[in-house]
Amino acid sequence: MVSRVAIVCLLGAALAVSACDKGSGDDGQAAGNATAAASADEVPATAAARPDKVDRSHKGEAAPDAGFATLAGAPTTLAQLGGGKPLLVNLWATWCAPCVKEMPTLDAAAGALAGKVRVVAVSQDMEPAKAKDFLKARGFARLEPFLDEKLALSTAYGANLPTTILYDAAGKEIWRVTGDLDWTGAQAKALLAEAG
């Protein structure tokens, strides 16, 4: 009986100490609050990608072996997609405003890179139907879409969305960009030229 009381007291104390930011006086996590300031590792949806958001600290690393799926549900990995060509991997979700913002320019870049760099967009939506409906409604013609409802890639990368990673023809990372970017702009063209 004493051990049950002790357990209940410990659980109660843990909950009280770890309570979400209720006592902070602000809006807490402010779900849906578009005016909330971005944290240090995020780029606001209205900002252009900054040069410091190009991360080269993983240069030379192989792609994670995390599994995800084609739109038809067939399992695959980044290593299977590379096929001896450079690979541009975009992690996105339908609920991510910066992701949605950059998708048309990413689709245009995929057209410009056709035959040179394979461009894949891996949805991090936990409900694949939402991603499929989004893609169908937008009619992106050149992006190769995939589904990662278990968030295996974003977990493996420790990534915020959107994150875009460029791999060389040998499957080694060149750089990654966190935040949205105009993939048809001068900065993106210079970055994509590094694919070789």
Side-chain angles (χ1 to χ4, degrees):
M1 179 72 164
V2 173
S3 64
R4 284 186 187 175
V5 171
I7 291 172
V8 169
C9 288
L10 287 173
L11 286 174
L15 286 173
V17 170
S18 67
C20 193
D21 52 6
K22 294 240 183 227
S24 66
D26 60 8
D27 288 336
Q29 294 177 359
N33 184 353
T35 61
S39 67
D41 63 346
E42 296 176 319
V43 177
T46 57
R50 300 183 329 227
D52 64 333
K53 294 301 175 189
V54 178
D55 179 359
R56 297 177 188 278
S57 66
H58 301 279
K59 186 172 184 165
E61 292 180 9
D65 60 358
F68 51 99
T70 66
L71 290 183
T76 193
T77 64
L78 292 176
Q80 292 172 327
L81 297 180
K85 280 189 181 176
L87 180 68
L88 186 67
V89 180
N90 178 262
L91 303 182
W92 69 282
T94 58
W95 47 263
C96 168
C99 300
V100 172
K101 176 184 172 190
E102 77 174 353
M103 291 289 276
T105 66
L106 191 63
D107 186 56
L113 295 168
K116 295 176 253 171
V117 177
R118 188 172 185 181
V119 181
V120 300
V122 186
S123 169
Q124 300 299 289
D125 284 281
M126 293 170 60
E127 297 179 40
K130 286 185 180 182
K132 289 179 182 180
D133 291 346
F134 174 88
L135 292 165
K136 184 177 179 181
R138 301 295 164 99
F140 298 121
R142 296 164 289 259
L143 285 176
E144 291 185 62
F146 293 87
L147 304 170
D148 182 11
E149 67 184 282
K150 294 182 181 173
L151 311 177
L153 284 175
S154 59
T155 301
Y157 288 118
N160 290 327
L161 300 181
T163 293
T164 306
I165 305 100
L166 179 64
Y167 290 97
D168 64 18
K172 303 297 183 187
E173 184 170 329
I174 298 173
W175 49 253
R176 61 180 73 177
V177 172
T178 301
D180 65 306
L181 183 64
D182 175 356
W183 290 100
T184 59
Q187 180 185 12
K189 287 179 181 177
L191 288 169
L192 293 168
E194 295 179 39

